[in-house]
Amino acid sequence: MATTVSDGGRDPDRYRAAQRGLTRLLVREIRGLRRLIIPSRLRQSMPDWFTAVQTVVDQYAQTSAALGAEFYDAQREAADVPGSFTVPVVDPPPPEKTEASLRWAAKDVWERDPEQATPAQREPIEVRLEQAEKKAELVAQKLVADTGRSTVLEAVRQDPQARAWARSAALGACAFCKMLASRGSVYAQDTVRFQAHDGCHCGAIPVFRGQRYEPSPQAREWARLYEEYAAGHSGSQLARFRRALAEHDPNPLPGAF
């Protein structure tokens, strides 16, 4: 008898909760590193901050990958598919990727010619540093979460018993994530990458051969709203879907989306 798998329920919820808990610890550590930045010595102290944040990102990315591997193993066991399989744990993001993300987060910190500076770059240094820290937290979260998601997706790609994956979104996720989660297990093994934004806590649910995918009640409702209010409107589907969620979905949308 075929087993069923869903984007909702105990296991996906526990996995998202574990990754969210990891994010909370990550953010707390990054905030503690703010002490390394000396406003009067930015050019001397910022490199130390970059290095320290990158070290933290590497450590948490390894944990995120381990959580992804554990989740995949548990899902595979629950599916009762034949044969053994070792999950290929994905490495932390390459140093150059992390550094580029952090430099983007801190791009408004540096002094500029007042005539050429943007409004953000004209703010007092403490405001600029606060904004840089917030951006650094967001990009670090994505780098870490992506490592866990990539571990699950790489396992789906390599496992002979896997056939697809589905997106699991939280009730309070943004319209973009709910739209993708409403599509179910349409994502093939190696033809679609996981689209995520900064602060995204969605996960990938592996679907194995012989398994039946059963959308969660919330995913079915998101699919209904999309079909009723957004499908068929080229170029404005996401905006229409966002309005439909705001009017009919009891779960609040994040303010940024």
Side-chain angles (χ1 to χ4, degrees):
M1 183 177 179
T3 60
T4 61
V5 64
S6 176
D7 60 300
R10 183 188 64 182
D11 290 343
D13 289 348
R14 287 176 62 182
Y15 177 50
R16 276 201 311 269
Q19 292 286 10
R20 278 185 175 272
L22 194 65
T23 292
R24 286 193 291 271
L25 295 175
L26 169 70
V27 168
R28 186 170 67 185
E29 286 214 36
I30 290 178
R31 288 176 180 172
L33 296 175
R34 169 77 177 273
R35 68 184 186 280
L36 297 176
I37 302 176
I38 304 172
S40 62
R41 299 177 62 245
L42 278 182
R43 297 201 175 276
Q44 293 80 14
S45 61
M46 286 296 286
D48 292 337
W49 179 75
F50 286 140
T51 300
V53 174
Q54 185 159 4
T55 298
V56 170
V57 168
D58 286 350
Q59 293 171 346
Y60 278 83
Q62 291 174 17
T63 303
S64 179
L67 288 173
E70 291 174 5
F71 174 70
Y72 188 89
D73 282 337
Q75 293 295 101
R76 197 178 196 275
E77 182 178 355
D80 196 27
V81 295
S84 60
F85 177 75
T86 300
V87 176
V89 178
V90 171
D91 291 331
E96 58 271 19
K97 182 175 182 179
T98 303
E99 182 178 349
S101 297
L102 293 176
R103 289 192 178 279
W104 170 84
K107 65 182 176 64
D108 292 332
V109 166
W110 312 103
E111 292 287 348
R112 301 290 205 290
D113 184 325
E115 295 184 358
Q116 299 177 350
T118 66
Q121 293 163 352
R122 296 190 192 102
E123 294 285 353
I125 183 60
E126 286 302 320
V127 174
R128 284 182 274 143
L129 286 174
E130 182 180 355
Q131 293 303 312
E133 181 184 303
K134 290 180 179 178
K135 291 178 181 178
E137 292 169 6
L138 287 172
V139 298
Q141 181 275 333
K142 185 177 185 300
L143 290 167
V144 167
D146 278 349
T147 309
R149 289 187 282 251
S150 295
T151 295
V152 175
L153 295 179
E154 185 61 21
V156 170
R157 190 181 73 83
Q158 294 190 27
D159 189 351
Q161 295 299 331
R163 64 174 181 83
W165 57 276
R167 191 184 188 100
S168 172
L171 292 176
C174 69
F176 172 76
C177 292
K178 288 179 177 179
M179 178 183 68
L180 297 181
S182 72
R183 295 175 179 173
S185 58
V186 300
Y187 304 107
Q189 280 181 295
D190 57 359
T191 58
V192 182
R193 67 182 182 89
F194 196 105
Q195 298 185 62
H197 53 79
D198 293 345
C200 177
H201 294 284
C202 290
I205 309 297
V207 182
F208 298 93
R209 298 188 186 280
Q211 225 177 11
R212 181 170 58 86
Y213 180 75
E214 182 68 34
S216 63
Q218 61 264 25
R220 288 198 299 272
E221 175 62 8
W222 298 334
R224 185 191 69 80
L225 290 173
Y226 183 84
E227 285 299 318
E228 182 174 348
Y229 294 97
H233 296 276
S234 178
S236 61
Q237 291 99 331
L238 183 57
R240 287 174 174 271
F241 184 53
R242 186 185 295 113
R243 289 196 295 271
L245 289 171
E247 294 177 8
H248 303 288
D249 188 359
N251 304 290
L253 288 171
F257 283 83

